[in-house]
Amino acid sequence: MTAQLIRRDDIDFLLHDWLRADKLVDRDTIDAILDLSEKLASEAFLTHYKRSDVEEPAFEDGEVRICPAIGDALAQYAELGLFSAGFPEEQGGLGLPYLVCMASFAYFAAANVATAAYPMLTVANARLIAAFGTEAQIDTFARPEIDGRWFGTMCLSEPQAGSSLADVRTRAVLDGRDALGERYRLTGNKMWISGGDHDASENIVHLVLAKVPREDGTLPEGTAGISLFIVPKIFPDGARNDVTVAGINHKMGYRGTTNCLLNFGENGGALGWIVGKPGDGLRQMFQMMNEARIGVGTGAAAMGYRSYLLSATYARERLQGRPAGRRSGNAVAIIEHPDVRRMLLQQKCYVEGALALCLYCARLVDTAEDCAEDAALLGLLTPVAKTWSSEHGLAANDIAIQIHGGYGYTRDFDVEQLWRDNRLNPIHEGTTGIQAIDLVGRKILRDGAGLLVLEVKILETAEMARDIPGLAEFANTLSATWRTATETIQVLRRREANAALDNATPFLRAFGHVVTAWLWLDQVVAAYTLRRTAPANTKLAKGKHHACRFFFEWELPRVGPMLTFIASKGDVAATAPAGIFG
Amino acid sequence: MTAQLIRRDDIDFLLHDWLRADKLVDRDTIDAILDLSEKLASEAFLTHYKRSDVEEPAFEDGEVRICPAIGDALAQYAELGLFSAGFPEEQGGLGLPYLVCMASFAYFAAANVATAAYPMLTVANARLIAAFGTEAQIDTFARPEIDGRWFGTMCLSEPQAGSSLADVRTRAVLDGRDALGERYRLTGNKMWISGGDHDASENIVHLVLAKVPREDGTLPEGTAGISLFIVPKIFPDGARNDVTVAGINHKMGYRGTTNCLLNFGENGGALGWIVGKPGDGLRQMFQMMNEARIGVGTGAAAMGYRSYLLSATYARERLQGRPAGRRSGNAVAIIEHPDVRRMLLQQKCYVEGALALCLYCARLVDTAEDCAEDAALLGLLTPVAKTWSSEHGLAANDIAIQIHGGYGYTRDFDVEQLWRDNRLNPIHEGTTGIQAIDLVGRKILRDGAGLLVLEVKILETAEMARDIPGLAEFANTLSATWRTATETIQVLRRREANAALDNATPFLRAFGHVVTAWLWLDQVVAAYTLRRTAPANTKLAKGKHHACRFFFEWELPRVGPMLTFIASKGDVAATAPAGIFG
């Protein structure tokens, strides 16, 4: 292994000791997949990290070409069966739990997120077809994706409809019926389509949100009128569909992933087959989006993680300055400076915390179908996992630049690109503001079931921690902070419904810190209790304990003032006259 | 004016109503300079902002070429006399206060910081020569810089000596004496030299830190042995000096400013003239660096400021979504969403706060020479102005991307470049960690004079604010937070000297928020009292008041937990075993 992407002992700890992945699948299988992922990510994804940043997608003569190394890497990814890993055997897959798929994905995202995005999107696309499509649709469209021969996209946004999907204007008119189902003719423009066109797969399967017009030709209002369509770039018979690339976006980072403006139906109408019934589109898409959000969080955590490992290595190798009070003698490695250790601790808290949070959610995906409590908890934690990991993975990337000093600001080191790449994550798959409304509006105020499950879990962890030396104080802090958070929620419940959302984002930030504090403490409890006899785990437990301490002493105390603001003030933004800005 | 860079009414308010610039120079002169700066910045600097990012400096055949638009803009800058603005008339300048120069610089930094860096460096260089050089050195080297014909650099860092200047290894051996003073022969490598080579000026004047070896050939240890030398690229007689470009750094942003690795004396020794006496180097350089740090802070604030204005404009124009609770009807401008207003308020707090802080310091530069209290306060606030503005200007840039959504992540908008460009500011001219040690170690624990001055000012502001409707609560909060900060300082004073620096960076962050809170309140007091009858100022006062409220309700409360951490915990980073990282 040439480069370390994510600590394997941490992943092993999280999967086996902490999340008990053995209850889902045997350990040998997991080990084999992780070995394979780590190796392929290092040898085929990491190797073109810089190259695919410099050799951006090019749009010429209506076609998009991408850096050939991306296609080569993905061909290997397909050959090793990794596209299929999470699908049941009857669909050509390996039947691995989502948890293991996410752990595998973390390696690829750490190595090269822009390349890893193609299979992430393709798998999400195929899962959606597999969940809601007909047998014929699955065979025709999902199977080639599961094989990794065709790639997939999600076509949601339009130039005028980004966060607000209710405003989608793409029209779908019934054209007929065939073996693949009800066939529609689509016309409209889709914006921000990742993987929208490229030359790395035989075909591209677009999943498109569109509205079926009423009899008078008008489009139904709101999100209820949205339907979902399978619109291939090339039909199964080899003919081209009426889907054209209008342009590509030139991004700051994440450049290897093409991002296109697609025109559907410029020449009479793109043909597509409806998935499920008219009006089902958003509900279906949301099931996929929830998983995609955990994927985004995992990717953000992984990018932060690699930058943390790069920082630790750099801090051990770079000689600069002397301990405070010593004016002569040899320079020491900068890891000797308390300020650098503080930065490393902060990174460690952020990236290991974010990874734990996302894998915890992935674990819930595997049981949610059969367990209402897990489903409720998953719903509650998904916007948190997406946002907390995106923001704190990015913060870890920022610290990595600072630890590297001037070197970190140059393109000779990877940390600047990791920072640029990660900046996309708080935006795509629902911005932070959208996640916050989902959390507060939908998951807390409308349906508080997840909150009850979470409370039980948090109090359980606190209870266990009270009996372990050195953790009692954190346990009490966690319980107290949780109490404050629930009191704040009571205040929000009493507030006029719309005003309750005014500070959804600050609430999401505070709530995210509480959730992460809980998982930090829970990790330490697991490290001490589950493997207390295993000497190999001593260093890991010590590191987790120290990071947990930092989180409780430095990070968590910021939550109190945020909750106070939300509960007792909090109208400062809503009452700001628009005229005072700019 | 095609684009708004910084609000002129804000600059006018800060300079005239708040900082009473009329006590330094008449208003007409200031207005003329600001008009000129705003116009030139918009018409010659902003116009190549993207171009000079894409057309990076190129290093070929030993020479560096830069985007020609940079040279053209700087020729106009020189022609208008702006290089000379801050110099006394007898040195060919306009004799303008530093405050006015910084306000002017803010426009150029907002428009194109990489181009504005050349005059910033050149002026700092010339000021240093003017302050410590001989008449002949001033005439020969500073005058062409004041005219804008020659540019200047600061050669401090070496590959092994970044933050730790004590480890400088460049050697200077006495070569003789001539009309320009003691002439030395220099050999060594200098890293991270901004403006180190380019084709935009006739000549480049390097100011180089080097050590004069002892008789046994060894270099004196520590910073006391550092001397300062003037080393021109080309001698006054037109011959080339022995200074060669070994390479250029490819940066993430700030690309228009060349950044070079320079070799001095590869062919026998570069000739340079000492400024002052051997061993004076660091002291002299520090006078310049303190001003440069205010310049860095001002630039960071200005870049944040432009991104805030771009955000406000975008938020008024971009239609997306509806107010909470409304599901149909037309989409509204996103500025109508409380979450977007919150982001704009946060930006406003950061960028107007940072600009106020930096201009406040610039004002102190103008009086520090004749007033020990102002000098002490300036020393205390300089690391704060540098760091707080760098970090919060950058945070405003980050928010600007978020407000722009996916568009902000593309290179079609300027906000992504502003974010990349601004990321340099917490690194160069002393990293955040270095500023923190300067603040806590030198400016607080070693010499507390500045702190006493600051306390008087803070309590004065609070006293005035208590009498103004709506401000009494903030006044009390400010006094209370200040008390907590001073108590924390008492704890630090009692701590073992080296351990007192362990949390210098967290302390700097907390202290920066207290200082900015004070200046926010002071601005509002000024807006209400000084111009209470001027109707034109009503909107400005209202905006300042609302932003101040946001700062006191959302930002300032985070200070308490930070100070508690420093005072009562705070050994978590220093005691972290190095082995737990990575």
Side-chain angles (χ1 to χ4, degrees):
Chain A
M1 225 60 57
T2 52
Q4 212 184 355
L5 301 170
I6 294 179
R7 278 196 70 96
R8 178 61 179 269
D9 59 353
D10 191 21
I11 290 266
D12 284 344
F13 163 75
L14 293 174
L15 291 188
H16 303 303
D17 296 343
W18 189 51
L19 296 173
R20 299 300 305 275
D22 60 318
K23 293 187 177 176
L24 303 169
V25 63
D26 69 284
R27 178 156 182 165
D28 286 349
T29 306
I30 299 176
D31 284 346
I33 283 287
L34 293 182
D35 288 348
L36 184 74
S37 302
E38 202 171 351
K39 189 170 152 67
L40 183 65
S42 297
E43 293 176 4
F45 281 60
L46 184 61
T47 39
H48 65 278
Y49 186 58
K50 282 190 171 296
R51 188 176 158 204
S52 55
D53 184 60
V54 175
E55 290 179 28
E56 274 190 288
F59 177 46
E60 278 168 28
D61 304 327
E63 306 279 337
V64 179
R65 283 181 296 100
I66 62 175
C67 173
I70 298 173
D72 296 345
L74 294 176
Q76 292 183 59
Y77 191 91
E79 203 174 316
L80 292 167
L82 287 166
F83 277 89
S84 75
F87 291 88
E89 285 177 36
E90 61 272 23
Q91 286 167 359
L94 303 176
L96 289 180
Y98 191 71
L99 172 62
V100 178
C101 294
M102 274 298 106
S104 161
F105 173 69
Y107 280 106
F108 293 100
N112 194 330
V113 75
T115 298
Y118 292 95
M120 184 177 84
L121 288 161
T122 300
V123 165
N125 179 307
R127 277 170 83 96
L128 206 160
I129 297 175
F132 301 107
T134 63
E135 281 302 313
Q137 289 173 342
I138 294 171
D139 282 347
T140 307
F141 299 111
R143 285 301 291 261
E145 294 186 297
I146 293 168
D147 294 343
R149 291 187 295 114
W150 296 4
F151 292 175
T153 75
M154 302 289 164
C155 300
L156 286 73
S157 299
E158 300 178 5
Q160 83 296 342
S163 293
S164 178
L165 290 173
D167 294 316
V168 153
R169 281 190 212 139
T170 298
R171 308 166 74 89
V173 179
L174 190 63
D175 181 69
R177 188 178 171 79
D178 57 30
L180 291 169
E182 306 267 358
R183 192 178 60 245
Y184 283 74
R185 205 166 274 276
L186 281 81
T187 46
N189 310 309
K190 288 291 178 181
M191 182 70 169
W192 309 119
I193 309 309
S194 289
D197 196 39
H198 55 78
D199 53 356
S201 65
E202 297 168 20
N203 195 5
I204 300 174
V205 179
H206 302 293
L207 280 173
V208 182
L209 291 187
K211 289 184 171 182
V212 180
R214 289 176 289 222
E215 290 199 356
D216 66 357
T218 60
L219 294 179
E221 282 203 347
T223 53
I226 296 176
S227 307
L228 179 67
F229 301 88
I230 301 171
V231 185
K233 173 180 172 181
I234 299 166
F235 293 114
D237 68 4
R240 281 294 291 258
N241 202 348
D242 183 8
V243 183
T244 50
V245 184
I248 58 176
N249 291 305
H250 298 279
K251 291 175 290 181
M252 172 168 60
Y254 226 110
R255 294 188 182 185
T257 307
T258 53
N259 191 275
C260 306
L261 176 57
L262 296 181
N263 289 346
F264 290 85
E266 276 194 318
N267 304 298
L271 293 181
W273 290 268
I274 195 164
V275 180
K277 295 189 305 297
D280 282 353
L282 208 63
R283 185 180 57 75
Q284 295 167 340
M285 188 60 93
F286 258 99
Q287 162 155 330
M288 181 286 301
M289 278 213 299
N290 280 331
E291 288 173 24
R293 283 169 181 181
I294 296 166
V296 167
T298 304
M303 280 187 266
Y305 210 121
R306 181 154 87 89
S307 81
Y308 158 61
L309 297 180
L310 290 169
S311 302
T313 302
Y314 184 83
R316 276 185 227 293
E317 290 171 357
R318 172 71 176 167
L319 305 178
Q320 190 78 176
R322 288 152 194 84
R326 223 181 76 200
R327 297 193 162 269
S328 59
N330 289 338
V332 298
I334 61 171
I335 200 169
E336 299 301 322
H337 302 311
D339 196 47
V340 174
R341 286 198 199 197
R342 183 189 55 75
M343 290 193 272
L344 289 169
L345 261 181
Q346 202 164 2
Q347 288 186 306
K348 184 177 169 77
C349 278
Y350 290 168
V351 304
E352 294 185 9
L355 186 63
L357 170 58
C358 292
L359 292 183
Y360 189 92
C361 288
R363 179 71 166 83
L364 292 174
V365 170
D366 289 316
T367 50
E369 210 165 305
D370 301 321
C371 173
E373 287 196 352
D374 285 358
L377 186 57
L378 174 63
L380 179 71
L381 295 184
T382 297
V384 181
K386 195 274 183 184
T387 305
W388 201 90
S389 303
S390 293
E391 295 195 338
H392 293 84
L394 182 64
N397 293 132
D398 177 78
I399 295 171
I401 294 175
Q402 199 65 22
I403 291 175
H404 283 72
Y407 293 98
Y409 194 69
T410 69
R411 275 128 58 203
D412 296 331
F413 288 74
D414 282 355
V415 290
E416 66 85 23
Q417 187 181 338
L418 285 162
W419 190 63
R420 284 188 288 115
D421 284 359
N422 219 349
R423 185 62 187 84
L424 182 58
N425 285 319
I427 299 173
H428 69 169
E429 297 293 344
T431 62
T432 298
I434 294 295
Q435 305 297 329
I437 291 173
D438 179 46
L439 174 71
V440 177
R442 196 174 292 127
K443 308 294 174 57
I444 290 182
L445 297 182
R446 198 191 303 170
D447 172 10
L451 216 51
L452 298 177
V453 182
L454 178 61
E455 176 159 280
V456 171
K457 302 251 179 210
I458 285 180
L459 298 181
E460 267 176 17
T461 301
E463 198 52 43
M464 289 176 73
R466 271 191 201 94
D467 296 334
I468 298 175
L471 299 187
E473 191 189 337
F474 304 153
N476 293 333
T477 306
L478 179 64
S479 310
T481 312
W482 175 253
R483 211 156 39 237
T484 313
T486 54
E487 285 161 8
T488 307
I489 292 170
Q490 294 313 318
V491 174
L492 292 181
R493 284 194 201 286
R494 289 192 296 272
R495 230 169 242 178
E496 192 262 314
N498 303 333
L501 295 180
D502 283 357
N503 290 297
T505 300
F507 183 84
L508 169 58
R509 297 223 165 95
F511 193 74
H513 254 49
V514 177
V515 167
T516 317
W518 157 54
L519 293 180
W520 261 112
L521 190 58
D522 204 58
Q523 284 185 74
V524 180
V525 168
Y528 280 136
T529 56
L530 299 178
R531 292 280 292 260
R532 112 177 9 148
T533 56
N537 236 14
T538 307
K539 184 185 150 192
L540 186 136
K542 210 168 162 185
K544 291 279 181 198
H545 190 162
H546 215 95
C548 180
R549 192 184 142 204
F550 184 83
F551 201 89
F552 274 80
E553 292 183 357
W554 174 253
E555 292 288 330
L556 194 58
R558 71 169 70 163
V559 168
M562 288 194 221
L563 293 174
T564 303
F565 170 84
I566 295 163
S568 69
K569 313 256 182 191
D571 69 342
V572 63
T575 60
I580 67 170
F581 297 116
Chain B
M1 224 60 58
T2 52
Q4 211 184 355
L5 301 170
I6 294 178
R7 278 196 70 94
R8 178 62 178 269
D9 59 353
D10 190 21
I11 290 266
D12 284 344
F13 163 75
L14 293 174
L15 291 187
H16 303 301
D17 296 345
W18 189 51
L19 296 172
R20 298 299 306 273
D22 60 317
K23 292 187 177 176
L24 303 169
V25 63
D26 68 283
R27 175 152 185 170
D28 287 350
T29 305
I30 299 175
D31 285 346
I33 284 286
L34 294 183
D35 289 348
L36 185 73
S37 303
E38 203 171 350
K39 190 171 152 66
L40 184 64
S42 297
E43 294 176 3
F45 281 60
L46 184 61
T47 39
H48 65 278
Y49 186 57
K50 281 190 171 298
R51 190 179 157 200
S52 54
D53 184 60
V54 176
E55 290 178 29
E56 274 189 287
F59 177 44
E60 279 167 28
D61 305 325
E63 306 278 336
V64 180
R65 283 180 296 98
I66 62 175
C67 173
I70 298 173
D72 295 345
L74 294 176
Q76 291 183 60
Y77 191 90
E79 202 174 317
L80 291 167
L82 287 166
F83 277 89
S84 75
F87 291 88
E89 284 177 37
E90 60 273 23
Q91 286 167 359
L94 302 175
L96 289 180
Y98 191 70
L99 172 62
V100 178
C101 294
M102 274 297 106
S104 161
F105 173 70
Y107 281 106
F108 293 100
N112 194 330
V113 75
T115 298
Y118 292 94
M120 184 177 83
L121 287 161
T122 300
V123 165
N125 178 306
R127 277 170 84 96
L128 206 160
I129 298 174
F132 301 109
T134 64
E135 282 302 312
Q137 288 173 342
I138 295 170
D139 282 348
T140 307
F141 299 110
R143 284 302 290 261
E145 294 186 298
I146 294 167
D147 293 344
R149 291 187 295 114
W150 296 5
F151 293 174
T153 75
M154 303 290 165
C155 300
L156 286 72
S157 299
E158 299 179 5
Q160 82 295 344
S163 292
S164 179
L165 290 173
D167 294 315
V168 153
R169 282 189 212 139
T170 298
R171 308 166 75 88
V173 179
L174 190 62
D175 180 70
R177 187 179 171 77
D178 59 30
L180 292 170
E182 308 266 359
R183 191 180 60 246
Y184 285 72
R185 206 166 271 277
L186 281 81
T187 47
N189 312 309
K190 289 290 179 181
M191 182 68 168
W192 309 119
I193 309 308
S194 289
D197 197 40
H198 55 77
D199 54 355
S201 66
E202 297 168 19
N203 195 4
I204 300 174
V205 179
H206 302 294
L207 280 174
V208 182
L209 292 187
K211 289 184 171 183
V212 180
R214 289 177 288 222
E215 289 198 356
D216 65 358
T218 61
L219 294 179
E221 282 201 348
T223 53
I226 296 176
S227 306
L228 180 67
F229 301 87
I230 302 171
V231 185
K233 173 180 173 180
I234 299 166
F235 294 114
D237 68 3
R240 282 292 293 257
N241 202 348
D242 183 8
V243 182
T244 50
V245 183
I248 58 176
N249 291 305
H250 297 280
K251 291 175 291 181
M252 171 169 60
Y254 225 109
R255 295 189 181 183
T257 307
T258 53
N259 191 275
C260 306
L261 175 58
L262 295 181
N263 289 348
F264 288 86
E266 276 196 316
N267 303 298
L271 294 180
W273 291 268
I274 196 165
V275 180
K277 294 191 305 296
D280 282 354
L282 208 64
R283 185 181 56 76
Q284 294 168 340
M285 188 58 94
F286 259 99
Q287 161 154 332
M288 180 285 302
M289 278 212 301
N290 280 330
E291 288 173 24
R293 284 169 180 181
I294 296 166
V296 167
T298 305
M303 280 187 267
Y305 210 120
R306 182 154 87 88
S307 81
Y308 158 62
L309 296 180
L310 290 169
S311 302
T313 301
Y314 184 83
R316 274 186 227 293
E317 290 172 357
R318 171 72 175 168
L319 305 178
Q320 190 79 176
R322 288 153 194 82
R326 225 181 75 199
R327 298 195 159 267
S328 59
N330 289 338
V332 298
I334 61 171
I335 199 169
E336 298 302 322
H337 302 312
D339 196 48
V340 173
R341 286 199 198 196
R342 183 187 55 75
M343 290 193 272
L344 289 169
L345 261 180
Q346 203 165 359
Q347 288 186 305
K348 184 177 168 79
C349 277
Y350 290 168
V351 305
E352 293 186 11
L355 186 63
L357 170 57
C358 292
L359 292 182
Y360 189 91
C361 289
R363 179 72 167 82
L364 292 173
V365 170
D366 288 316
T367 51
E369 209 165 306
D370 300 321
C371 173
E373 287 195 351
D374 286 357
L377 186 57
L378 175 62
L380 179 71
L381 295 184
T382 296
V384 181
K386 195 275 185 184
T387 305
W388 201 89
S389 303
S390 293
E391 295 195 339
H392 293 85
L394 182 64
N397 293 131
D398 176 77
I399 296 171
I401 294 175
Q402 199 65 20
I403 292 175
H404 283 73
Y407 293 99
Y409 195 68
T410 68
R411 276 127 58 205
D412 295 331
F413 288 74
D414 282 354
V415 290
E416 65 85 23
Q417 188 182 338
L418 286 163
W419 190 61
R420 283 189 287 116
D421 285 359
N422 218 350
R423 185 60 186 85
L424 182 59
N425 285 319
I427 299 172
H428 69 169
E429 297 294 344
T431 62
T432 298
I434 294 295
Q435 303 299 327
I437 291 173
D438 179 46
L439 174 72
V440 177
R442 197 174 291 125
K443 307 295 175 54
I444 290 182
L445 297 182
R446 198 190 302 169
D447 172 11
L451 215 52
L452 298 176
V453 182
L454 179 61
E455 175 157 282
V456 170
K457 301 251 178 211
I458 285 180
L459 298 181
E460 268 175 17
T461 301
E463 197 54 41
M464 288 175 74
R466 272 191 199 95
D467 296 335
I468 298 175
L471 299 187
E473 192 190 334
F474 305 152
N476 293 334
T477 305
L478 178 64
S479 310
T481 313
W482 174 253
R483 211 157 40 237
T484 313
T486 54
E487 285 162 9
T488 307
I489 291 170
Q490 294 312 319
V491 174
L492 292 180
R493 284 195 201 286
R494 288 194 296 271
R495 230 168 241 179
E496 193 261 313
N498 302 333
L501 295 181
D502 283 357
N503 290 297
T505 299
F507 183 84
L508 169 58
R509 297 224 165 94
F511 193 74
H513 254 49
V514 177
V515 166
T516 317
W518 157 53
L519 293 181
W520 261 111
L521 190 58
D522 204 58
Q523 284 186 74
V524 180
V525 168
Y528 279 137
T529 57
L530 298 177
R531 294 278 295 259
R532 96 168 36 135
T533 56
N537 237 13
T538 307
K539 184 185 150 194
L540 187 137
K542 209 167 160 185
K544 292 279 182 199
H545 190 160
H546 216 94
C548 181
R549 195 185 139 202
F550 184 84
F551 201 91
F552 275 80
E553 292 183 357
W554 174 253
E555 293 287 330
L556 194 58
R558 71 169 71 164
V559 168
M562 288 194 222
L563 293 174
T564 303
F565 169 85
I566 295 163
S568 68
K569 313 257 181 187
D571 68 342
V572 63
T575 60
I580 67 170
F581 296 117

